[in-house]
Amino acid sequence: MTLATTRAVAVVGVRGHIVEVEADLSPGVPSFVLVGLPDASLNESRDRVRAAMVNSHQEWPPTKRRLTVNLSPASLPKRGSSFDLAIALAVLAADHVVPPGVGADVVLIGELGLDGRVRPVRGVLPAVLAASEAGIASVVVPAANADEAGLVPGMRVTGVSSLAQLIALARGEPVHLELEAATGADLDDAGGVDETDDPGRLDLSDVLGQADARAMIEVAAAGGHHLLMVGPPGAGKTMLAERLPGLLPPLDREAAIDVTAVHSVAGTLPSGSPLVTRPPFQAPHHTASVAAIVGGGSSHLRPGAASLAHRGVLFMDEAPEFAPAVLDALRQPLESGEICVSRLAAQVRFPAQFQLVLAANPCPCGMAVVRGRDCTCSPMAKLRYFGRLSGPLLDRVDLRREMRPATRRELRADRGMAETTAVVAARVLAARERMTSRLTGTPWRANAEVPGHAMRRDWPLPWDVVAAAERELDRGNLTARGVDRVLRVAWTIADLAGRDQPGSDEVAMALRYRGVERSAA
Ligand SMILES: Nc1ncnc2c1ncn2[C@@H]1O[C@H](COP(=O)(O)OP(=O)(O)O)[C@@H](O)[C@H]1O
Ligand SMILES: [Mg+2]
Ligand SMILES: [Zn+2]
């Protein structure tokens, strides 16, 4: 009996788990059995490995014996094609084609083509992170994924492009590797923040006039507040939403790795410079399914738009048109910052901490606030339309604003007058710094995350400052939660102004950003 072991990684959600791959060759009728809870796509690994071996001039079946490959732990669901390399090397080691101990300190990730080529796979970053956490210092990955694997500090990465190359490497023969050993340490020096991308492609200075709306988007960016914009078609809602990510600070190293891991699993990483350093932007269409938003899929669980927007912006244009089940499904991530999908025996978690931007027409026909044009909607239809944005969802939205289209005079104004994204982003960054130093030692990073009770307890404001908001409460124009939201926004306005705490002016301004309280709460 001959036995050899290698290691691969099973990625569940965005977390990798080390899997031992054991190949056993024993006397008997030639056969190839794969055990240890493989799914259908993994079972096809047998065919790929067999064909790749034959096309790489290896004898098959190995010395005409019974081959069993066992993946453990058996309880872990294993899917996909990324186990091919580990399986192939284990078989070769069991057969003594390569030294039997060769797979001991290395993790192998990669799919084999029938011709013996090594093909790129999804989820390389989380897989290599798992290897690193397990104390493994060396990984073999598809050459096309070497940059991504290289994001993990201190990891020795070998990118291979064919099974023949892997065999030569394992035998210690000289190999020419096109993409050799990118080590994470080099990339780490760069701080993980690349500010060269997205230079003014969608600049805030494109938005003419609309002083109020521009100020509001700045407040949203600074405090991380969710935002609802209500206005007729052409008011500039989409324009503003698309410019929000540009105002947000770049992702720090940890966030960049988290975001990159999600996009790695989804297969949406740009090749070349795989680290995502800017807050992502996702704008799913209103016909999107629940699975498209929160994640799903029949065999592979893929992250949805809410997870792809992790640490960035999820923009839902024409929000009331989304299926009620979709809007309902957003409650969980808004509450916990993650999405939990149960599938068969497994529970899969995807991170989903996003800034929500909702846009809506004022009524189903969209014309309700455009002067001189008639709205054809019945009062009932209007109520039903906004009723779809349920209380629990809107409860979390601090900023709600009615927008009118820019006037003709505003649109004629000199484009050079409007502040650019760079100018506003600098103020946002300064406000964030004030915020984070105040919030040091708390679990919160931005004002939008601070619960109302904590805000009242830890940062009380003088009664005369709160008075204006309290008055609206007494008049029935604000709920108690509405008051909390107004104060949260007032804090952000103060942070933007470089003030130690909000005064009556900031509260008054925050109240103005609640213009649609009555129609949409
Ligand atoms: N304030 C503005 N400044 C410059 N162009 C604007 C402005 N508002 C609207 N536009 C023009 O109108 C178009 C429609 O705006 P959009 O953001 O799609 O509106 P909405 O999403 O509210 O329907 C934009 O592409 C832009 O060309
Ligand atoms: Mg639009
Ligand atoms: Zn209408």
Side-chain angles (χ1 to χ4, degrees):
M1 185 184 89
T2 32
L3 189 73
T5 305
T6 59
R7 281 185 220 140
V9 179
V11 176
V12 181
V14 291
R15 279 200 64 76
H17 305 267
I18 299 289
V19 169
E20 300 248 319
V21 180
E22 253 177 344
D24 172 52
L25 280 168
S26 50
V29 182
S31 62
F32 184 178
V33 185
L34 195 57
V35 294
L37 205 63
D39 81 333
S41 58
L42 178 48
N43 244 317
E44 287 161 9
S45 181
R46 289 180 307 166
D47 302 325
R48 287 190 301 270
V49 169
R50 180 189 299 124
M53 291 278 196
V54 170
N55 289 318
S56 305
H57 313 292
Q58 297 301 314
E59 187 191 352
W60 193 271
T63 48
K64 312 262 184 303
R65 281 174 299 169
R66 206 181 126 75
L67 169 61
T68 308
V69 170
N70 179 36
L71 307 171
S72 60
S75 58
L76 198 65
K78 304 167 199 73
R79 30 180 74 95
S81 53
S82 67
F83 297 83
D84 291 0
L85 283 190
I87 291 171
L89 193 71
V91 171
L92 291 163
D95 199 23
H96 295 278
V97 175
V98 301
V102 75
D105 306 313
V106 64
V107 155
L108 298 111
I109 302 153
E111 172 181 333
L112 281 170
L114 301 181
D115 56 359
R117 242 184 304 193
V118 174
R119 296 161 57 172
V121 293
R122 296 173 182 213
V124 167
L125 177 62
V128 178
L129 283 170
S132 174
E133 277 160 26
I136 291 159
S138 181
V139 292
V140 173
V141 299
N145 295 125
D147 283 346
E148 184 185 336
L151 295 173
V152 180
M155 183 61 72
R156 209 188 118 71
V157 176
T158 307
V160 293
S161 44
S162 69
L163 179 61
Q165 234 178 28
L166 177 65
I167 294 169
L169 268 173
R171 284 174 168 160
E173 292 165 5
V175 193
H176 173 68
L177 297 172
E178 299 97 274
L179 277 164
E180 213 204 354
T183 65
D186 301 342
L187 279 143
D188 210 24
D189 292 341
V193 173
D194 173 11
E195 291 178 72
T196 56
D197 52 354
D198 172 56
R201 212 170 31 89
L202 289 174
D203 201 276
L204 195 61
S205 60
D206 300 337
V207 183
L208 303 170
Q210 298 284 25
D212 260 16
R214 290 169 48 105
M216 182 193 55
I217 204 98
E218 180 173 340
V219 171
H225 305 282
H226 302 312
L227 166 69
L228 166 67
M229 291 181 277
V230 180
K237 304 182 294 293
T238 302
M239 236 186 148
L240 278 167
E242 287 173 343
R243 282 156 182 79
L244 175 57
L247 301 178
L248 298 173
L251 301 174
D252 61 28
R253 172 85 194 173
E254 194 192 337
I257 292 284
D258 282 358
V259 172
T260 302
V262 175
H263 285 261
S264 169
V265 168
T268 52
L269 276 187
S271 59
S273 59
L275 189 65
V276 180
T277 60
R278 292 290 319 164
F281 180 78
Q282 291 285 315
H285 192 256
H286 61 73
T287 55
S289 66
V290 172
I293 302 291
V294 302
S298 47
S299 62
H300 271 280
L301 276 182
R302 295 270 158 74
S307 288
L308 295 173
H310 181 53
R311 300 292 202 122
V313 174
L314 180 66
F315 176 43
M316 304 185 71
D317 207 352
E318 309 194 30
E321 308 282 349
F322 279 81
V326 168
L327 295 171
D328 206 48
L330 288 175
R331 285 161 59 177
Q332 187 196 33
L334 284 173
E335 232 151 80
S336 63
E338 62 177 14
I339 285 163
C340 192
V341 192
S342 296
R343 178 60 49 88
L344 300 174
Q347 245 196 9
V348 178
R349 286 169 194 283
F350 292 116
Q353 198 177 47
F354 50 80
Q355 188 168 357
L356 183 65
V357 177
L358 304 167
N361 289 327
C363 61
C365 86
M367 295 307 168
V369 292
V370 184
R371 227 175 314 220
R373 265 190 269 184
D374 292 323
C375 165
T376 55
C377 307
S378 72
M380 264 316 282
K382 282 190 205 173
L383 267 178
R384 256 204 314 274
Y385 185 69
F386 271 107
R388 295 189 185 175
L389 300 179
S390 69
L393 186 65
L394 278 186
D395 254 351
R396 307 197 160 263
V397 178
D398 288 343
L399 293 165
R400 306 161 183 191
R401 184 79 184 144
E402 216 160 289
M403 283 179 64
R404 280 158 207 283
T407 62
R408 219 170 306 154
R409 186 194 305 165
E410 283 176 328
L411 292 176
R412 269 201 312 265
D414 182 4
R415 190 175 180 277
M417 297 293 286
E419 281 186 315
T420 61
T421 289
V423 169
V424 178
R427 278 201 301 268
V428 166
L429 189 61
R432 282 276 169 129
E433 277 160 7
R434 291 186 81 82
M435 219 172 286
T436 45
S437 72
R438 181 173 63 249
L439 296 173
T440 303
T442 75
W444 311 298
R445 276 168 310 193
N447 290 342
E449 296 170 23
V450 184
H453 64 85
M455 207 170 48
R456 275 177 264 121
R457 184 192 60 213
D458 298 341
W459 298 281
L461 294 172
W463 71 268
D464 59 313
V465 169
V466 188
E470 298 276 346
R471 240 182 343 262
E472 295 301 311
L473 176 65
D474 294 341
R475 286 182 191 149
N477 291 337
L478 268 185
T479 60
R481 277 198 222 191
V483 172
D484 287 345
R485 285 190 291 260
V486 165
L487 296 182
R488 254 198 301 269
V489 170
W491 272 102
T492 300
I493 296 169
D495 286 329
L496 275 168
R499 299 193 50 169
D500 286 339
Q501 62 174 49
S504 317
D505 288 352
E506 283 77 17
V507 171
M509 199 182 290
L511 274 167
R512 287 212 294 142
Y513 293 145
R514 302 276 310 173
V516 287
E517 174 84 10
R518 266 148 296 178
S519 56

